[in-house]
Amino acid sequence: MANKIIRINKKGDDGYKVISIRIKDGTLQKLDELSQKSNRSRNEIINIILESSINDVEID
């Protein structure tokens, strides 16, 4: 049987970057509620919200 090559990406090579933010308690609570109701991680919820609204922001 031939050896099968297993490729493992280095951490961070998945196109995502780790960041740290400050967030208000109320906003965090709402994120956690959405996370619980949708059975998705907080990270998934934040990414969904950012991706769906980032193009709607205008800077004057």
Side-chain angles (χ1 to χ4, degrees):
M1 180 161 71
N3 290 338
K4 189 173 185 178
I5 297 174
I6 299 174
R7 300 191 189 278
I8 300 173
N9 291 334
K10 293 180 183 176
K11 198 170 190 177
D13 284 351
D14 62 356
Y16 289 86
K17 301 295 181 212
V18 176
I19 63 169
S20 175
I21 64 167
R22 291 170 41 99
I23 191 166
K24 292 181 180 180
D25 287 334
T27 303
L28 182 59
Q29 184 178 359
K30 289 177 185 178
L31 286 170
D32 287 341
E33 289 171 4
L34 288 171
S35 175
Q36 186 176 25
K37 287 179 183 177
S38 66
N39 200 29
R40 294 179 181 260
S41 70
R42 183 190 294 161
N43 183 68
E44 286 179 286
I45 296 298
I46 291 169
N47 273 290
I48 289 167
I49 292 169
L50 287 173
E51 288 176 15
S52 69
S53 61
I54 196 161
N55 292 324
D56 295 334
V57 175
E58 290 184 12
I59 307 289
D60 289 330

PDB file of all heavy atoms in Angstrom, residues 8-39:
ATOM      1  N   ILE A   8      -1.105  19.244   6.663  1.00  0.00           N
ATOM      2  CA  ILE A   8      -1.662  19.978   7.795  1.00  0.00           C
ATOM      3  C   ILE A   8      -1.272  21.435   7.629  1.00  0.00           C
ATOM      4  O   ILE A   8      -0.090  21.762   7.540  1.00  0.00           O
ATOM      5  CB  ILE A   8      -1.131  19.426   9.141  1.00  0.00           C
ATOM      6  CG1 ILE A   8      -1.519  17.953   9.270  1.00  0.00           C
ATOM      7  CG2 ILE A   8      -1.672  20.253  10.300  1.00  0.00           C
ATOM      8  CD1 ILE A   8      -0.912  17.274  10.471  1.00  0.00           C
ATOM      9  N   ASN A   9      -2.269  22.304   7.539  1.00  0.00           N
ATOM     10  CA  ASN A   9      -2.006  23.740   7.423  1.00  0.00           C
ATOM     11  C   ASN A   9      -1.522  24.292   8.747  1.00  0.00           C
ATOM     12  O   ASN A   9      -1.975  23.869   9.812  1.00  0.00           O
ATOM     13  CB  ASN A   9      -3.267  24.490   6.999  1.00  0.00           C
ATOM     14  CG  ASN A   9      -3.675  24.171   5.580  1.00  0.00           C
ATOM     15  OD1 ASN A   9      -2.847  23.802   4.758  1.00  0.00           O
ATOM     16  ND2 ASN A   9      -4.947  24.299   5.297  1.00  0.00           N
ATOM     17  N   LYS A  10      -0.626  25.234   8.659  1.00  0.00           N
ATOM     18  CA  LYS A  10      -0.181  25.926   9.862  1.00  0.00           C
ATOM     19  C   LYS A  10      -1.351  26.720  10.425  1.00  0.00           C
ATOM     20  O   LYS A  10      -2.237  27.155   9.691  1.00  0.00           O
ATOM     21  CB  LYS A  10       0.961  26.886   9.544  1.00  0.00           C
ATOM     22  CG  LYS A  10       2.228  26.202   9.128  1.00  0.00           C
ATOM     23  CD  LYS A  10       3.291  27.240   8.838  1.00  0.00           C
ATOM     24  CE  LYS A  10       4.557  26.588   8.342  1.00  0.00           C
ATOM     25  NZ  LYS A  10       5.561  27.586   7.963  1.00  0.00           N
ATOM     26  N   LYS A  11      -1.353  26.916  11.722  1.00  0.00           N
ATOM     27  CA  LYS A  11      -2.403  27.688  12.366  1.00  0.00           C
ATOM     28  C   LYS A  11      -2.440  29.088  11.762  1.00  0.00           C
ATOM     29  O   LYS A  11      -1.411  29.735  11.598  1.00  0.00           O
ATOM     30  CB  LYS A  11      -2.135  27.767  13.867  1.00  0.00           C
ATOM     31  CG  LYS A  11      -3.326  28.146  14.677  1.00  0.00           C
ATOM     32  CD  LYS A  11      -3.055  27.974  16.144  1.00  0.00           C
ATOM     33  CE  LYS A  11      -4.330  28.128  16.924  1.00  0.00           C
ATOM     34  NZ  LYS A  11      -4.124  27.911  18.333  1.00  0.00           N
ATOM     35  N   GLY A  12      -3.624  29.539  11.386  1.00  0.00           N
ATOM     36  CA  GLY A  12      -3.780  30.862  10.797  1.00  0.00           C
ATOM     37  C   GLY A  12      -3.804  30.834   9.284  1.00  0.00           C
ATOM     38  O   GLY A  12      -4.125  31.810   8.656  1.00  0.00           O
ATOM     39  N   ASP A  13      -3.472  29.700   8.682  1.00  0.00           N
ATOM     40  CA  ASP A  13      -3.466  29.603   7.232  1.00  0.00           C
ATOM     41  C   ASP A  13      -4.846  29.326   6.638  1.00  0.00           C
ATOM     42  O   ASP A  13      -4.973  29.054   5.464  1.00  0.00           O
ATOM     43  CB  ASP A  13      -2.497  28.498   6.770  1.00  0.00           C
ATOM     44  CG  ASP A  13      -1.051  28.923   6.867  1.00  0.00           C
ATOM     45  OD1 ASP A  13      -0.806  30.112   7.125  1.00  0.00           O
ATOM     46  OD2 ASP A  13      -0.181  28.061   6.682  1.00  0.00           O
ATOM     47  N   ASP A  14      -5.877  29.379   7.450  1.00  0.00           N
ATOM     48  CA  ASP A  14      -7.225  29.108   6.963  1.00  0.00           C
ATOM     49  C   ASP A  14      -7.930  30.369   6.474  1.00  0.00           C
ATOM     50  O   ASP A  14      -9.106  30.349   6.157  1.00  0.00           O
ATOM     51  CB  ASP A  14      -8.058  28.427   8.044  1.00  0.00           C
ATOM     52  CG  ASP A  14      -8.234  29.271   9.287  1.00  0.00           C
ATOM     53  OD1 ASP A  14      -7.654  30.365   9.366  1.00  0.00           O
ATOM     54  OD2 ASP A  14      -8.947  28.833  10.207  1.00  0.00           O
ATOM     55  N   GLY A  15      -7.205  31.473   6.387  1.00  0.00           N
ATOM     56  CA  GLY A  15      -7.788  32.723   5.927  1.00  0.00           C
ATOM     57  C   GLY A  15      -8.367  33.574   7.045  1.00  0.00           C
ATOM     58  O   GLY A  15      -8.813  34.683   6.812  1.00  0.00           O
ATOM     59  N   TYR A  16      -8.365  33.066   8.246  1.00  0.00           N
ATOM     60  CA  TYR A  16      -8.879  33.800   9.398  1.00  0.00           C
ATOM     61  C   TYR A  16      -7.719  34.331  10.224  1.00  0.00           C
ATOM     62  O   TYR A  16      -6.661  33.724  10.266  1.00  0.00           O
ATOM     63  CB  TYR A  16      -9.751  32.902  10.290  1.00  0.00           C
ATOM     64  CG  TYR A  16     -11.079  32.549   9.674  1.00  0.00           C
ATOM     65  CD1 TYR A  16     -11.202  31.460   8.825  1.00  0.00           C
ATOM     66  CD2 TYR A  16     -12.209  33.305   9.948  1.00  0.00           C
ATOM     67  CE1 TYR A  16     -12.428  31.131   8.254  1.00  0.00           C
ATOM     68  CE2 TYR A  16     -13.435  32.988   9.393  1.00  0.00           C
ATOM     69  CZ  TYR A  16     -13.533  31.897   8.543  1.00  0.00           C
ATOM     70  OH  TYR A  16     -14.739  31.580   7.997  1.00  0.00           O
ATOM     71  N   LYS A  17      -7.928  35.438  10.878  1.00  0.00           N
ATOM     72  CA  LYS A  17      -6.946  36.026  11.779  1.00  0.00           C
ATOM     73  C   LYS A  17      -7.569  36.191  13.153  1.00  0.00           C
ATOM     74  O   LYS A  17      -8.762  36.467  13.279  1.00  0.00           O
ATOM     75  CB  LYS A  17      -6.483  37.407  11.283  1.00  0.00           C
ATOM     76  CG  LYS A  17      -5.867  37.385   9.898  1.00  0.00           C
ATOM     77  CD  LYS A  17      -4.578  36.596   9.894  1.00  0.00           C
ATOM     78  CE  LYS A  17      -3.976  36.600   8.509  1.00  0.00           C
ATOM     79  NZ  LYS A  17      -3.246  35.414   8.191  1.00  0.00           N
ATOM     80  N   VAL A  18      -6.773  36.015  14.158  1.00  0.00           N
ATOM     81  CA  VAL A  18      -7.237  36.191  15.540  1.00  0.00           C
ATOM     82  C   VAL A  18      -7.035  37.647  15.925  1.00  0.00           C
ATOM     83  O   VAL A  18      -5.962  38.211  15.705  1.00  0.00           O
ATOM     84  CB  VAL A  18      -6.450  35.270  16.500  1.00  0.00           C
ATOM     85  CG1 VAL A  18      -6.864  35.525  17.936  1.00  0.00           C
ATOM     86  CG2 VAL A  18      -6.649  33.808  16.124  1.00  0.00           C
ATOM     87  N   ILE A  19      -8.099  38.254  16.472  1.00  0.00           N
ATOM     88  CA  ILE A  19      -8.026  39.640  16.931  1.00  0.00           C
ATOM     89  C   ILE A  19      -8.612  39.723  18.339  1.00  0.00           C
ATOM     90  O   ILE A  19      -9.293  38.810  18.788  1.00  0.00           O
ATOM     91  CB  ILE A  19      -8.776  40.615  15.994  1.00  0.00           C
ATOM     92  CG1 ILE A  19     -10.270  40.293  15.960  1.00  0.00           C
ATOM     93  CG2 ILE A  19      -8.174  40.589  14.598  1.00  0.00           C
ATOM     94  CD1 ILE A  19     -11.104  41.350  15.280  1.00  0.00           C
ATOM     95  N   SER A  20      -8.357  40.821  18.984  1.00  0.00           N
ATOM     96  CA  SER A  20      -8.919  41.069  20.298  1.00  0.00           C
ATOM     97  C   SER A  20      -9.664  42.399  20.242  1.00  0.00           C
ATOM     98  O   SER A  20      -9.151  43.373  19.687  1.00  0.00           O
ATOM     99  CB  SER A  20      -7.792  41.140  21.330  1.00  0.00           C
ATOM    100  OG  SER A  20      -8.303  41.499  22.581  1.00  0.00           O
ATOM    101  N   ILE A  21     -10.873  42.429  20.784  1.00  0.00           N
ATOM    102  CA  ILE A  21     -11.657  43.670  20.781  1.00  0.00           C
ATOM    103  C   ILE A  21     -12.243  43.923  22.160  1.00  0.00           C
ATOM    104  O   ILE A  21     -12.393  43.011  22.969  1.00  0.00           O
ATOM    105  CB  ILE A  21     -12.801  43.632  19.740  1.00  0.00           C
ATOM    106  CG1 ILE A  21     -13.817  42.540  20.084  1.00  0.00           C
ATOM    107  CG2 ILE A  21     -12.265  43.451  18.338  1.00  0.00           C
ATOM    108  CD1 ILE A  21     -15.103  42.632  19.310  1.00  0.00           C
ATOM    109  N   ARG A  22     -12.575  45.180  22.392  1.00  0.00           N
ATOM    110  CA  ARG A  22     -13.336  45.553  23.581  1.00  0.00           C
ATOM    111  C   ARG A  22     -14.786  45.657  23.134  1.00  0.00           C
ATOM    112  O   ARG A  22     -15.079  46.199  22.077  1.00  0.00           O
ATOM    113  CB  ARG A  22     -12.850  46.890  24.129  1.00  0.00           C
ATOM    114  CG  ARG A  22     -11.460  46.806  24.733  1.00  0.00           C
ATOM    115  CD  ARG A  22     -10.892  48.183  25.055  1.00  0.00           C
ATOM    116  NE  ARG A  22     -11.827  49.118  25.640  1.00  0.00           N
ATOM    117  CZ  ARG A  22     -11.926  49.389  26.943  1.00  0.00           C
ATOM    118  NH1 ARG A  22     -11.135  48.787  27.802  1.00  0.00           N
ATOM    119  NH2 ARG A  22     -12.791  50.268  27.384  1.00  0.00           N
ATOM    120  N   ILE A  23     -15.692  45.145  23.943  1.00  0.00           N
ATOM    121  CA  ILE A  23     -17.102  45.125  23.558  1.00  0.00           C
ATOM    122  C   ILE A  23     -17.959  45.405  24.798  1.00  0.00           C
ATOM    123  O   ILE A  23     -17.607  44.993  25.909  1.00  0.00           O
ATOM    124  CB  ILE A  23     -17.450  43.769  22.902  1.00  0.00           C
ATOM    125  CG1 ILE A  23     -18.798  43.791  22.242  1.00  0.00           C
ATOM    126  CG2 ILE A  23     -17.326  42.635  23.877  1.00  0.00           C
ATOM    127  CD1 ILE A  23     -19.033  42.610  21.319  1.00  0.00           C
ATOM    128  N   LYS A  24     -19.044  46.128  24.613  1.00  0.00           N
ATOM    129  CA  LYS A  24     -19.933  46.449  25.728  1.00  0.00           C
ATOM    130  C   LYS A  24     -20.613  45.196  26.247  1.00  0.00           C
ATOM    131  O   LYS A  24     -20.893  44.255  25.488  1.00  0.00           O
ATOM    132  CB  LYS A  24     -20.992  47.457  25.285  1.00  0.00           C
ATOM    133  CG  LYS A  24     -20.430  48.822  24.971  1.00  0.00           C
ATOM    134  CD  LYS A  24     -21.533  49.777  24.564  1.00  0.00           C
ATOM    135  CE  LYS A  24     -20.957  51.144  24.248  1.00  0.00           C
ATOM    136  NZ  LYS A  24     -22.012  52.094  23.853  1.00  0.00           N
ATOM    137  N   ASP A  25     -20.886  45.188  27.544  1.00  0.00           N
ATOM    138  CA  ASP A  25     -21.529  44.031  28.187  1.00  0.00           C
ATOM    139  C   ASP A  25     -22.852  43.672  27.511  1.00  0.00           C
ATOM    140  O   ASP A  25     -23.133  42.495  27.279  1.00  0.00           O
ATOM    141  CB  ASP A  25     -21.792  44.305  29.668  1.00  0.00           C
ATOM    142  CG  ASP A  25     -20.526  44.277  30.514  1.00  0.00           C
ATOM    143  OD1 ASP A  25     -19.565  43.598  30.113  1.00  0.00           O
ATOM    144  OD2 ASP A  25     -20.512  44.924  31.574  1.00  0.00           O
ATOM    145  N   GLY A  26     -23.651  44.665  27.198  1.00  0.00           N
ATOM    146  CA  GLY A  26     -24.958  44.412  26.583  1.00  0.00           C
ATOM    147  C   GLY A  26     -24.836  43.779  25.207  1.00  0.00           C
ATOM    148  O   GLY A  26     -25.623  42.900  24.850  1.00  0.00           O
ATOM    149  N   THR A  27     -23.853  44.223  24.442  1.00  0.00           N
ATOM    150  CA  THR A  27     -23.631  43.651  23.112  1.00  0.00           C
ATOM    151  C   THR A  27     -23.177  42.201  23.234  1.00  0.00           C
ATOM    152  O   THR A  27     -23.654  41.328  22.499  1.00  0.00           O
ATOM    153  CB  THR A  27     -22.583  44.472  22.334  1.00  0.00           C
ATOM    154  OG1 THR A  27     -23.032  45.831  22.256  1.00  0.00           O
ATOM    155  CG2 THR A  27     -22.373  43.929  20.940  1.00  0.00           C
ATOM    156  N   LEU A  28     -22.286  41.944  24.169  1.00  0.00           N
ATOM    157  CA  LEU A  28     -21.812  40.579  24.391  1.00  0.00           C
ATOM    158  C   LEU A  28     -22.957  39.673  24.820  1.00  0.00           C
ATOM    159  O   LEU A  28     -23.069  38.530  24.361  1.00  0.00           O
ATOM    160  CB  LEU A  28     -20.698  40.570  25.431  1.00  0.00           C
ATOM    161  CG  LEU A  28     -20.083  39.202  25.717  1.00  0.00           C
ATOM    162  CD1 LEU A  28     -19.499  38.575  24.465  1.00  0.00           C
ATOM    163  CD2 LEU A  28     -19.026  39.332  26.803  1.00  0.00           C
ATOM    164  N   GLN A  29     -23.828  40.179  25.655  1.00  0.00           N
ATOM    165  CA  GLN A  29     -24.984  39.405  26.102  1.00  0.00           C
ATOM    166  C   GLN A  29     -25.882  39.049  24.916  1.00  0.00           C
ATOM    167  O   GLN A  29     -26.340  37.913  24.793  1.00  0.00           O
ATOM    168  CB  GLN A  29     -25.770  40.181  27.152  1.00  0.00           C
ATOM    169  CG  GLN A  29     -26.933  39.407  27.724  1.00  0.00           C
ATOM    170  CD  GLN A  29     -27.669  40.177  28.815  1.00  0.00           C
ATOM    171  OE1 GLN A  29     -27.304  41.286  29.174  1.00  0.00           O
ATOM    172  NE2 GLN A  29     -28.723  39.573  29.335  1.00  0.00           N
ATOM    173  N   LYS A  30     -26.125  40.009  24.023  1.00  0.00           N
ATOM    174  CA  LYS A  30     -26.944  39.751  22.837  1.00  0.00           C
ATOM    175  C   LYS A  30     -26.278  38.715  21.929  1.00  0.00           C
ATOM    176  O   LYS A  30     -26.951  37.846  21.376  1.00  0.00           O
ATOM    177  CB  LYS A  30     -27.200  41.045  22.072  1.00  0.00           C
ATOM    178  CG  LYS A  30     -28.139  41.994  22.782  1.00  0.00           C
ATOM    179  CD  LYS A  30     -28.296  43.285  22.012  1.00  0.00           C
ATOM    180  CE  LYS A  30     -29.129  44.291  22.785  1.00  0.00           C
ATOM    181  NZ  LYS A  30     -29.248  45.575  22.058  1.00  0.00           N
ATOM    182  N   LEU A  31     -24.952  38.820  21.768  1.00  0.00           N
ATOM    183  CA  LEU A  31     -24.230  37.834  20.956  1.00  0.00           C
ATOM    184  C   LEU A  31     -24.364  36.437  21.558  1.00  0.00           C
ATOM    185  O   LEU A  31     -24.586  35.458  20.830  1.00  0.00           O
ATOM    186  CB  LEU A  31     -22.752  38.208  20.853  1.00  0.00           C
ATOM    187  CG  LEU A  31     -22.405  39.374  19.944  1.00  0.00           C
ATOM    188  CD1 LEU A  31     -20.949  39.780  20.134  1.00  0.00           C
ATOM    189  CD2 LEU A  31     -22.674  39.019  18.492  1.00  0.00           C
ATOM    190  N   ASP A  32     -24.231  36.351  22.863  1.00  0.00           N
ATOM    191  CA  ASP A  32     -24.344  35.053  23.528  1.00  0.00           C
ATOM    192  C   ASP A  32     -25.753  34.478  23.405  1.00  0.00           C
ATOM    193  O   ASP A  32     -25.929  33.269  23.241  1.00  0.00           O
ATOM    194  CB  ASP A  32     -23.922  35.161  24.993  1.00  0.00           C
ATOM    195  CG  ASP A  32     -22.414  35.305  25.154  1.00  0.00           C
ATOM    196  OD1 ASP A  32     -21.672  34.966  24.200  1.00  0.00           O
ATOM    197  OD2 ASP A  32     -21.974  35.759  26.226  1.00  0.00           O
ATOM    198  N   GLU A  33     -26.765  35.346  23.454  1.00  0.00           N
ATOM    199  CA  GLU A  33     -28.142  34.883  23.279  1.00  0.00           C
ATOM    200  C   GLU A  33     -28.351  34.349  21.866  1.00  0.00           C
ATOM    201  O   GLU A  33     -28.959  33.295  21.676  1.00  0.00           O
ATOM    202  CB  GLU A  33     -29.123  36.016  23.571  1.00  0.00           C
ATOM    203  CG  GLU A  33     -29.217  36.383  25.036  1.00  0.00           C
ATOM    204  CD  GLU A  33     -30.014  37.648  25.293  1.00  0.00           C
ATOM    205  OE1 GLU A  33     -30.573  38.238  24.337  1.00  0.00           O
ATOM    206  OE2 GLU A  33     -30.061  38.078  26.466  1.00  0.00           O
ATOM    207  N   LEU A  34     -27.839  35.082  20.862  1.00  0.00           N
ATOM    208  CA  LEU A  34     -27.939  34.613  19.479  1.00  0.00           C
ATOM    209  C   LEU A  34     -27.196  33.298  19.297  1.00  0.00           C
ATOM    210  O   LEU A  34     -27.665  32.390  18.602  1.00  0.00           O
ATOM    211  CB  LEU A  34     -27.372  35.663  18.517  1.00  0.00           C
ATOM    212  CG  LEU A  34     -28.191  36.931  18.317  1.00  0.00           C
ATOM    213  CD1 LEU A  34     -27.388  37.954  17.512  1.00  0.00           C
ATOM    214  CD2 LEU A  34     -29.491  36.602  17.612  1.00  0.00           C
ATOM    215  N   SER A  35     -26.055  33.197  19.920  1.00  0.00           N
ATOM    216  CA  SER A  35     -25.252  31.986  19.836  1.00  0.00           C
ATOM    217  C   SER A  35     -26.019  30.788  20.398  1.00  0.00           C
ATOM    218  O   SER A  35     -26.075  29.718  19.778  1.00  0.00           O
ATOM    219  CB  SER A  35     -23.944  32.185  20.607  1.00  0.00           C
ATOM    220  OG  SER A  35     -23.195  31.011  20.653  1.00  0.00           O
ATOM    221  N   GLN A  36     -26.615  30.977  21.542  1.00  0.00           N
ATOM    222  CA  GLN A  36     -27.351  29.901  22.190  1.00  0.00           C
ATOM    223  C   GLN A  36     -28.587  29.505  21.376  1.00  0.00           C
ATOM    224  O   GLN A  36     -28.847  28.323  21.152  1.00  0.00           O
ATOM    225  CB  GLN A  36     -27.757  30.314  23.596  1.00  0.00           C
ATOM    226  CG  GLN A  36     -28.397  29.198  24.389  1.00  0.00           C
ATOM    227  CD  GLN A  36     -28.708  29.623  25.820  1.00  0.00           C
ATOM    228  OE1 GLN A  36     -28.885  30.797  26.105  1.00  0.00           O
ATOM    229  NE2 GLN A  36     -28.772  28.658  26.706  1.00  0.00           N
ATOM    230  N   LYS A  37     -29.342  30.500  20.912  1.00  0.00           N
ATOM    231  CA  LYS A  37     -30.569  30.226  20.150  1.00  0.00           C
ATOM    232  C   LYS A  37     -30.275  29.545  18.814  1.00  0.00           C
ATOM    233  O   LYS A  37     -31.069  28.727  18.348  1.00  0.00           O
ATOM    234  CB  LYS A  37     -31.330  31.529  19.891  1.00  0.00           C
ATOM    235  CG  LYS A  37     -32.010  32.096  21.101  1.00  0.00           C
ATOM    236  CD  LYS A  37     -32.705  33.398  20.754  1.00  0.00           C
ATOM    237  CE  LYS A  37     -33.337  34.028  21.979  1.00  0.00           C
ATOM    238  NZ  LYS A  37     -33.945  35.337  21.657  1.00  0.00           N
ATOM    239  N   SER A  38     -29.156  29.885  18.185  1.00  0.00           N
ATOM    240  CA  SER A  38     -28.845  29.361  16.852  1.00  0.00           C
ATOM    241  C   SER A  38     -27.964  28.110  16.894  1.00  0.00           C
ATOM    242  O   SER A  38     -27.705  27.517  15.852  1.00  0.00           O
ATOM    243  CB  SER A  38     -28.149  30.438  16.023  1.00  0.00           C
ATOM    244  OG  SER A  38     -26.882  30.741  16.582  1.00  0.00           O
ATOM    245  N   ASN A  39     -27.500  27.761  18.086  1.00  0.00           N
ATOM    246  CA  ASN A  39     -26.587  26.629  18.237  1.00  0.00           C
ATOM    247  C   ASN A  39     -25.314  26.824  17.404  1.00  0.00           C
ATOM    248  O   ASN A  39     -24.805  25.899  16.782  1.00  0.00           O
ATOM    249  CB  ASN A  39     -27.277  25.308  17.877  1.00  0.00           C
ATOM    250  CG  ASN A  39     -26.559  24.120  18.462  1.00  0.00           C
ATOM    251  OD1 ASN A  39     -25.917  24.220  19.505  1.00  0.00           O
ATOM    252  ND2 ASN A  39     -26.648  22.991  17.785  1.00  0.00           N
TER     253      ASN A  39
END
